[in-house]
Amino acid sequence: MTTKKIAMGLNKKIALVAHDNMKRNLVEWAKFNRDLLAHHKVYATGTTGILLEKELKFPIIKLQSGPLGGDQQIGARIVDGEIDFLIFFWDPLEQQPHDPDIKALLRMAVVWNIPMACDRATADFVISSPLMDKEYERLVPDYDVYRKRKVPGVETPPLPIPGMTENKKRRSTDTAFPA
């Protein structure tokens, strides 16, 4: 399968999400990394966003609470290229009423190959990476084959690649052998 490159700018777009039992851990982590986070664009769901903005003293783009659609909002922004990476402190010991939404969010992060941390140790490694303060091109599979597949009885036009404008398409290059 061929791949496409999607550019991540110098200033990243970071989503911070935490389940109730993990909010304290995420806020502590964010306070410790405040100066690193401050020059990036930070998104958060519901109460997490309110807590972070209060503690960090810089604007947070606040979305809905996870169970009210916030996880889906983050996932949609990943698909649209509006979020570059996800830090999601989820509670592995607690069942959530919106577990399908959580799984969908994690799936979108993998489908679109964005960096993702689900615990403090991984978040520490990601935030301290030298790549955080550089432009970066992440590789994603070229989903054109999937988009153009034949579905019996359905005529489907090709859909645009999220996060790819005409300018980005011209700069984008295939990295595998042509089919």
Side-chain angles (χ1 to χ4, degrees):
M1 178 182 282
T2 60
T3 58
K4 300 273 185 184
K5 293 179 181 179
I6 297 179
M8 294 168 69
L10 189 61
N11 295 317
K12 307 298 184 281
K13 299 164 287 189
I14 304 168
L16 302 178
V17 182
H19 287 154
D20 287 348
N21 291 340
M22 306 301 285
K23 288 186 191 318
R24 172 187 246 164
N25 291 342
L26 181 65
V27 169
E28 288 173 7
W29 177 86
K31 283 171 56 176
F32 182 80
N33 291 289
R34 186 215 178 274
D35 293 341
L36 293 170
L37 291 169
H39 70 275
H40 299 289
K41 190 173 189 178
V42 178
Y43 295 78
T45 53
T47 309
T48 304
I50 294 167
L51 293 169
L52 287 167
E53 194 168 74
K54 179 182 173 188
E55 291 292 330
L56 301 178
K57 311 253 188 286
F58 65 79
I60 305 291
I61 299 165
K62 294 175 287 300
L63 305 172
Q64 290 292 325
S65 173
L68 300 178
D71 295 330
Q72 291 183 353
Q73 287 179 302
I74 297 281
R77 281 171 171 77
I78 290 170
V79 170
D80 290 340
E82 295 173 26
I83 289 180
D84 294 323
F85 84 78
L86 172 66
I87 295 178
F88 186 176
F89 285 17
W90 58 278
D91 186 347
L93 302 178
E94 200 65 38
Q95 188 172 6
Q96 302 293 323
H98 61 300
D99 274 338
D101 298 344
I102 296 162
K103 183 176 182 181
L105 171 57
L106 298 173
R107 183 176 168 274
M108 287 302 98
V110 172
V111 165
W112 293 100
N113 192 28
I114 68 163
M116 174 175 49
C118 294
D119 56 60
R120 189 170 185 147
T122 308
D124 286 340
F125 274 85
V126 170
I127 199 81
S128 63
S129 167
L131 298 174
M132 277 301 296
D133 293 319
K134 296 179 181 177
E135 291 184 359
Y136 178 79
E137 289 184 326
R138 60 189 162 90
L139 297 176
V140 296
D142 182 353
Y143 292 119
D144 283 345
V145 171
Y146 181 80
R147 287 185 186 95
K148 294 175 184 175
R149 74 193 184 285
K150 299 288 183 204
V151 178
V154 178
E155 190 69 30
T156 56
L159 299 173
I161 299 171
M164 295 288 286
T165 63
E166 284 305 313
N167 286 339
K168 286 182 183 176
K169 282 181 188 173
R170 277 184 237 126
R171 290 190 321 228
S172 176
T173 58
D174 290 345
T175 59
F177 298 108

